[in-house]
Amino acid sequence: MDIFRIEGPVRLSGSVTVNGSKNASLPIMAATILAGGKSILSAVPHLSDISVCSQLLAELGCKVTRNDNGDLCIDSTVIDNPVGGYEIVRKMRASICILGPLLARCGRAEVSLPGGCAIGYRPVDIHLRGLQELGAKIHIKNGYVIAEAKNALTGKGIFMGGPFGSTVLGTANVLTAATVAKGRTVIESAACEPEIADLANCLNKMGAKITGIGSPRLVIEGVKQLRPAEYEVIPDRIEAGTFMVAAAITAGQLQMHNCRLDDMMAVVDKLRNIGVTIEATNDGCIVARNGSIKPTDITTQPYPGFPTDLQAQFMTLLSLAEGNSIIIEKIFPDRFMHVAELSRMAADLRKEGPTIIVAGVKKLIAAPVMASDLRASAALVLAGLAAEGTTTINRVYHIDRGYEKIEEKLNPAGAKIVRESV
C-alpha cells in the first residue's frame, strides 16, 4: 500500500495540464456497449477507476485496449455475459452506469448494487424507476439489480428529480437506454452537468438523436442502433478545480492548460470572491494569490451550482481564511469524513448536521492522516502543501482513483510529494 509524504509549506509556481474527465469517461465507456464494433476514446485518463471500468467491460465480453497514442479502444462486437459482478462493481459506484446500455443491448442485465467512496448513502431508485418507465421489469435479488425487457424499450416522458436534485448517473442510464427505445423519450429534470452533455454529444456521434443537451429537458428520438465512433473526452473540471485550490492555498501561481472555465463558473466565482485572481488564456487560465484568503459561504448544489466534488478541497482552503466561513453540503449530507483528518492538522472545524463552520487559523500543522475517499484525499494533499512539517497520508489509493500521478504533476511546480510503498 502506498503513502504520501509531503513537505510543507511550499509555494507552487509553474504549469499543469488537466487530464480528460474521469466522470465523463466512465458513462461514455459504458455507452460503447450499445455500439457493436470498435470505438476509440481519446483523453481518457490513466486512473484506477478507468481500469475497474475496463475490467467490467471485459467481463461483459468487450475487448478493451490502449493504442500507441494512449487512446482507449473498446470493441463491443460481442456482449455475451450481461452481468456486472459484485467483486468488480463494489469497487466503484459508477459501475451502475452499465445497467441502461446493457439492458438496451441485451434485453437483460444483472448488475450488483454498487460500492465506491464512503461519502454517505446513495440509492439508485431513480435509475430503476426511469428504466421501468421505458418498459423494463426490475427486481432486486441477492444484492443484484435484475432488469429485463422482453419487448423493445418504449419512449416516454420521465421525471428524474430526487430529494438531492437531479441524478447524474441516473440520467446517464436512462439517456443511453432511451437512444434505442421506440419513439420519443423526454427526460425532465435531467442532470445538466458537463459530463452528461459530453455523454450526449458522444451518443449523437454514435448516431443517436438527442436535443436539449446541457438543459434539464433532454429529448431523445429513438433509433434502431448505434454505431462505433471516435470521440475526445472533455477536460476534468474537478481536477482543474483542485489545482486552482493548490495555487491558492500555497499563495502561488499556476498556469492551467486544457481547462474549460465555462464549465466552472461557480468555482471561479468563489475563488475570485476570496481573493484569488484567475486570468483566462487560450487553453485555460492562470491562477494566483498574493493577498490573504477571505472567508465565504458555500452551498453545494447540482450543476451549475458549486460542485460537491470540490467541497473538501475548499474546506481546506478556507481553513486558512481570515475569518469564519460556512459550508453546507446539500448533495451528500454525510460527506464530511475529511473533517476529523483536517482537524488533526489544526484546522478549526465544527459540524452541525450538513453544515461545517470553518474558523480560519493562521497555519496548518503537519500530521499523519488517513484518506477516506477520493476528494477527501485530494484535500489532505492540499493541506500537506500548506502545512508546516511533514504530512503523511495513508491509503492514497483513493487519490489514484481520480488523479493521475498527482505528485508528478505538482512536484515540477514546487511541491514536495514523495510516494512510498509500505
Side-chain angles (χ1 to χ4, degrees):
M1 186 178 295
D2 289 355
I3 65 170
F4 279 160
R5 296 197 194 278
I6 305 176
E7 295 286 342
V10 298
R11 180 183 181 275
L12 296 185
S13 179
S15 65
V16 293
T17 300
V18 177
N19 281 337
S21 169
K22 172 184 84 84
N23 289 341
S25 296
L26 295 171
I28 288 174
M29 289 172 67
T32 63
I33 292 170
L34 284 171
K38 188 175 183 179
S39 293
I40 300 177
L41 306 178
S42 58
V44 176
H46 294 259
L47 302 170
S48 59
D49 271 10
I50 298 299
S51 297
V52 169
C53 190
S54 298
Q55 294 171 31
L56 182 58
L57 292 176
E59 288 287 322
L60 303 179
C62 299
K63 296 178 180 178
V64 186
T65 57
R66 292 265 187 181
N67 65 18
D68 292 340
N69 296 323
D71 302 330
L72 196 68
C73 306
I74 304 174
D75 187 341
S76 60
T77 302
V78 176
I79 302 289
D80 55 7
N81 180 41
V83 179
Y86 170 75
E87 288 303 319
I88 296 180
V89 174
R90 69 180 177 84
K91 299 178 182 178
M92 183 181 67
R93 175 176 167 76
S95 301
I96 194 67
C97 66
I98 67 169
L99 181 62
L102 200 57
L103 172 67
R105 168 80 181 264
C106 302
R108 177 181 172 85
E110 296 183 28
V111 182
S112 172
L113 290 168
C117 284
I119 62 175
Y121 178 55
R122 297 181 290 176
V124 297
D125 57 316
I126 300 175
H127 304 232
L128 307 187
R129 190 177 72 231
L131 294 174
Q132 285 174 323
E133 291 288 334
L134 293 177
K137 303 291 186 182
I138 295 177
H139 65 280
I140 310 293
K141 184 179 180 181
N142 299 330
Y144 279 73
V145 176
I146 300 176
E148 296 178 297
K150 293 182 180 179
N151 300 315
L153 298 174
T154 303
K156 196 173 181 181
I158 301 171
F159 180 75
M160 294 292 293
F164 301 111
S166 302
T167 163
V168 174
L169 292 179
T171 299
N173 260 324
V174 176
L175 173 62
T176 50
T179 59
V180 292
K182 287 185 177 180
R184 170 182 288 191
T185 299
V186 179
I187 303 176
E188 296 284 5
S189 196
C192 301
E193 274 72 4
E195 295 79 13
I196 290 297
D198 206 34
L199 170 62
N201 287 328
C202 181
L203 287 167
N204 276 351
K205 196 166 185 182
M206 292 177 173
K209 296 181 178 179
I210 305 168
T211 57
I213 296 173
S215 80
R217 188 175 195 267
L218 294 174
V219 179
I220 307 102
E221 299 288 348
V223 298
K224 287 187 177 181
Q225 63 182 21
L226 301 185
R227 58 180 180 271
E230 296 184 10
Y231 191 78
E232 182 176 353
V233 175
I234 60 171
D236 194 314
R237 62 191 174 103
I238 305 303
E239 183 183 54
T242 301
F243 293 153
M244 288 178 174
V245 175
I249 201 169
T250 62
Q253 177 174 303
L254 285 178
Q255 180 163 6
M256 315 268 297
H257 299 289
N258 194 38
C259 172
R260 302 201 324 186
L261 291 183
D262 286 349
D263 291 346
M264 305 176 63
M265 293 311 297
V267 174
V268 170
D269 178 67
K270 283 299 177 186
L271 286 170
R272 286 174 172 160
N273 285 345
I274 64 176
V276 179
T277 62
I278 300 175
E279 177 186 348
T281 62
N282 288 337
D283 70 338
C285 62
I286 297 173
V287 183
R289 177 176 72 86
N290 294 315
S292 61
I293 302 169
K294 301 175 185 177
T296 192
D297 294 342
I298 291 175
T299 300
T300 64
Q301 296 175 320
Y303 188 85
F306 191 91
T308 180
D309 278 352
L310 285 172
Q311 176 251 106
Q313 297 91 312
F314 268 73
M315 187 181 298
T316 305
L317 177 60
L318 293 174
S319 294
L320 293 171
E322 292 187 347
N324 296 335
S325 301
I326 295 175
I327 298 177
I328 303 173
E329 177 57 69
K330 286 198 171 182
I331 307 299
F332 301 121
D334 297 323
R335 192 176 197 171
F336 290 129
M337 294 187 71
H338 46 280
V339 169
E341 301 305 302
L342 290 174
S343 297
R344 289 174 51 80
M345 300 180 69
D348 188 348
L349 310 171
R350 186 170 82 249
K351 182 177 183 299
E352 296 184 2
T355 300
I356 301 292
I357 299 172
V358 185
V361 297
K362 293 194 177 297
K363 62 182 179 180
L364 296 175
I365 307 296
V369 290
M370 186 82 69
S372 58
D373 63 73
L374 168 55
R375 306 307 173 183
S377 60
L380 295 177
V381 169
L382 297 173
L385 296 175
E388 290 188 358
T390 303
T391 298
T392 302
I393 304 177
N394 295 281
R395 295 184 180 176
V396 298
Y397 61 82
H398 284 293
I399 203 166
D400 294 333
R401 291 186 51 226
Y403 298 87
E404 183 179 329
K405 298 179 180 177
I406 191 171
E407 71 277 21
E408 294 184 12
K409 287 199 171 186
L410 293 180
N411 283 349
K416 298 177 181 178
I417 307 172
V418 176
R419 182 188 291 260
E420 298 178 2
S421 295
V422 294

